[in-house]
Every structure is written in structure tokens, then in C-alpha cells.
Amino acid sequence: MRVLIVEDAADVAEAVAASLARAGFACDIAADIAQATGFLEAQAFDVLVLDINLPDGDGRDYLRKLRRAGDRTPVLMLTARFDVSTRVDALDEGADDYLVKPFDLRELEARVRVLT
């Protein structure tokens, strides 16, 4: 299974990738929406782990764009924003799941497994 992690905090992205790799997932890391777009144009992914606050835009806007283009790749949103309205907005935009930072890597692995 192939996972694209779109996360601008390098330490978080690397920890997520290492954890998922130990669980048998192949991971690519994009630090922003522009890099994510390049990865998605080059290959298909089984799951997208998408941060909301990215240097070049809002992950929810990017998710909306993907869904409108017909991309049905399962998406797990990651964010430090824990208010209910942000979670509801992300789910309404097409997110399949939502995880608030800080999180336990075991929970993230379990949620990615469920999405695949």
C-alpha cells in the first residue's frame, strides 16, 4: 500500500512515514500542496494523509479540489486545530477521517489500515 503524507513539519512527516513503513506501507512525503500535486500527477496512492495548515494553502481547499476532480483516494486529515467546526468542515469537504495533533502513531496506523 502506498501513502502520500502532506505535512510541512518535517519531524512529524518523518515520524509518520517511519511508523507507517514499519507497518508495511510505502510512503512519500510532500511538504506542501505543490509537491503533493506533483506526486499525485505521477502516481496513484492508496491513502493521503493531509495536514490542514500548509505553507501554500489550506488542506481542506486542496481536498475540495481533489474531490471535485473525481479523486476518491481515502484522506486522513491531520491538524493541530481541534475545534469541532474545523473537523466537521473537513469531513463535509470529503475527508474520510480526522486526527488531531498530537496523536499516538499507533492510532494513526490503525486509522490508515481502516482506510485501506
Side-chain angles (χ1 to χ4, degrees):
M1 295 282 165
R2 191 153 206 88
V3 178
L4 177 59
I5 301 161
V6 187
E7 168 64 61
D8 62 318
D11 57 339
V12 173
E14 291 169 9
V16 168
S19 179
L20 291 175
R22 284 190 298 275
F25 294 93
C27 298
D28 289 302
I29 298 172
D32 57 29
I33 291 169
Q35 287 181 349
T37 299
F39 276 111
L40 291 170
E41 288 173 351
Q43 65 184 24
F45 289 86
D46 299 296
V47 175
L48 179 62
V49 176
L50 179 61
D51 189 13
I52 287 181
N53 296 316
L54 293 163
D56 59 347
D58 187 306
R60 291 170 298 179
D61 294 335
Y62 187 59
L63 174 60
R64 186 180 316 111
K65 178 181 172 185
L66 291 173
R67 293 301 190 232
R68 286 185 180 156
D71 189 328
R72 306 290 357 139
T73 303
V75 174
L76 170 63
M77 300 297 293
L78 289 182
T79 187
R81 300 167 74 179
F82 57 87
D83 57 288
V84 174
S85 63
T86 300
R87 289 186 298 225
V88 170
D89 288 347
L91 293 166
D92 285 345
E93 294 298 338
D96 298 283
D97 202 353
Y98 190 102
L99 193 56
V100 177
K101 299 175 190 176
F103 53 85
D104 188 299
L105 289 169
R106 295 170 299 172
E107 182 179 3
L108 181 130
E109 288 176 29
R111 290 173 182 256
V112 168
R113 280 194 306 271
V114 167
L115 292 174
T116 60

